[in-house]
Amino acid sequence: MADDAPRDWEASTYDRVSTPHRAWGADVLGRLTLRGDERALDAGCGTGRVTAELLRLVPDGHVIGVDGSPAMIAQAGRVLPREVELLVQDLTALVLDAPVDVVVSTATFHWIADHDVLFGRLAEALVAGGRLEAQCGGAGNIASVVAAIGRLRTRAPWDAAFLGWEDDWNFAGPEETEARLRAAGFVDVSAWLEPRPVVLEDAHAFLRTVVLGSHLARLPEEAHDDFVEAVREELEVDGVVTLDYVRLNLGGTRASDGAAPVQLPGEAVPESPEDLAAWLRA
Ligand SMILES: C[S@@+](CC[C@H](N)C(=O)[O-])C[C@H]1O[C@@H](n2cnc3c(N)ncnc32)[C@H](O)[C@@H]1O
């Protein structure tokens, strides 16, 4: 697996422990104004809990769930009605048969390193005037976990496994996100941070399945339990583990005046109106 390719997830445990995600998903869906006949995409649908709620909002439409993890899509296929179209795809290389009216996403974008490419793909997947509403981990998200891992990774036996590798979460801030959304061809953009601390019921399972997956992918299987326990112990206060979640909410409307520009990695968006017009035509 390439280092930046989506990895597989432990879907049945994720489905059991991902209670906070359902509440976050409900908030995202609550920001939508829908007729009920839209084509709608859940980008990073996981086991399909939020996708099921999306389906209820578009009874006369069509719902697509895309996820990079085959196990997540298989689990979603067990619980969602057959009418939901489920695809295993990397969102940074998203290709749909036809554009959608709405894209929603929860707890996914911070797992993706290149938000310029991601937002460009989502803009291309939307019809002109289509709406993106999403939420993911934002700047400052789970800072206590980041700090705990920072302490552990300098110690044996973990130091060797993480040598030369940085945590791969992409916890972006609102201003840079709004700029990226505009550059990708969205208008009426907004992004804001929202602290949402969560007290974990089954801290070991949650950390292992939801939080530490990409760290565990760098450790041998027999070390997984020890690493998760080491992180849990670092976080525990009076027998309780509270995760200091900070969510990045974001939204935008796909510009209706022509094709959305797809910004290539490292490519600067021209600033003058004339250069921008030429760049959009190119
Ligand atoms: C924390 S789960 C969230 C799942 C679901 N949205 C929810 O709220 O329960 C993150 C999901 O993002 C997916 N994911 C991460 N990177 C991805 C990528 N590049 N392309 C597609 N899916 C990706 C993972 O496979 C995983 O299912």
Side-chain angles (χ1 to χ4, degrees), residues 173-231:
E175 287 178 14
E176 59 183 315
T177 297
E178 288 185 357
R180 287 193 179 109
L181 287 168
R182 286 191 196 97
F186 287 96
V187 295
D188 188 19
V189 304
S190 59
W192 69 99
L193 295 173
E194 179 185 11
R196 295 289 288 265
V198 171
V199 176
L200 299 186
E201 286 176 16
D202 182 347
H204 185 99
F206 193 97
L207 289 169
R208 184 185 181 110
T209 312
V210 179
V211 181
L212 298 175
S214 61
H215 294 77
L216 297 180
R218 274 141 193 96
L219 294 170
E221 181 84 35
E222 60 272 18
H224 287 190
D225 272 341
D226 285 351
F227 183 70
V228 174
E229 267 309 285
V231 175

Side-chain angles (χ1 to χ4, degrees), residues 131-149:
R131 185 73 189 169
L132 163 69
E133 288 290 350
Q135 192 199 77
C136 62
N141 194 45
I142 55 170
S144 62
V145 180
V146 174
I149 292 172

Side-chain angles (χ1 to χ4, degrees), residues 4-6 41 66 68 87-96 112 114 116-122 124-125 262:
D4 57 354
L41 167 67
V66 168
L87 305 169
V88 178
Q89 282 195 29
D90 182 345
L91 290 169
T92 62
L94 179 68
V95 179
L96 300 178
I112 296 175
D114 195 330
D116 293 316
V117 169
L118 171 67
F119 295 160
R121 283 292 176 179
L122 297 181
E124 278 200 340
V262 175

Side-chain angles (χ1 to χ4, degrees), residues 6 9 14 21 44-46 67-69 72 89-91 106-108 112:
W9 286 55
Y14 179 86
H21 302 69
C45 64
D67 200 279
S69 161
M72 289 294 219
Q89 282 195 29
D90 182 345
L91 290 169
T106 50
T108 295
I112 296 175

Side-chain angles (χ1 to χ4, degrees), residues 34-60:
L34 296 167
R35 296 182 307 268
D37 63 352
E38 290 87 349
R39 282 174 57 81
L41 167 67
D42 186 356
C45 64
T47 58
R49 298 286 190 156
V50 179
T51 326
E53 293 305 312
L54 179 61
L55 182 65
R56 279 162 24 92
L57 296 176
V58 288
D60 303 319

